[in-house]
Amino acid sequence: MLLPDRLNQRIAEAIKHQIETEREQADTTSSVWRARCEVARVAMFSDAERSVFIHTVSERRGSAAAREMQSQADTLRTNAIFFLARKSS
């Protein structure tokens, strides 16, 4: 089993790859794209860093925005983990 730091690093690399792939077909000047990049950045954080960031979002933007960001970041991380699992097979 991978150490947590190494696993987080591999997840972050997979998310970066996903965003680079999406960038090729996205309108990178849109607010939707900026939001997607912010979520990706959050998804690359460690659990502790993500928790702190989401808490800050909750205080500044409200709990609904924080929940949505958390959900999207969790989805990106899950997709990255599945990508890595397929890649290892």
Side-chain angles (χ1 to χ4, degrees), residues 18-62:
Q18 173 69 33
I19 292 300
E20 288 301 318
T21 300
E22 291 176 15
R23 182 185 311 278
E24 295 170 5
Q25 299 176 10
D27 174 6
T28 58
T29 62
S30 72
S31 61
V32 172
W33 178 251
R34 283 191 301 277
R36 178 72 170 163
C37 290
E38 180 181 39
V39 166
R41 184 174 59 93
V42 173
M44 290 187 266
F45 290 163
S46 70
D47 292 344
E49 292 167 326
R50 214 167 40 258
S51 178
V52 169
F53 190 87
I54 295 297
H55 177 74
T56 302
V57 169
S58 179
E59 289 178 336
R60 294 184 181 170
R61 302 183 206 171

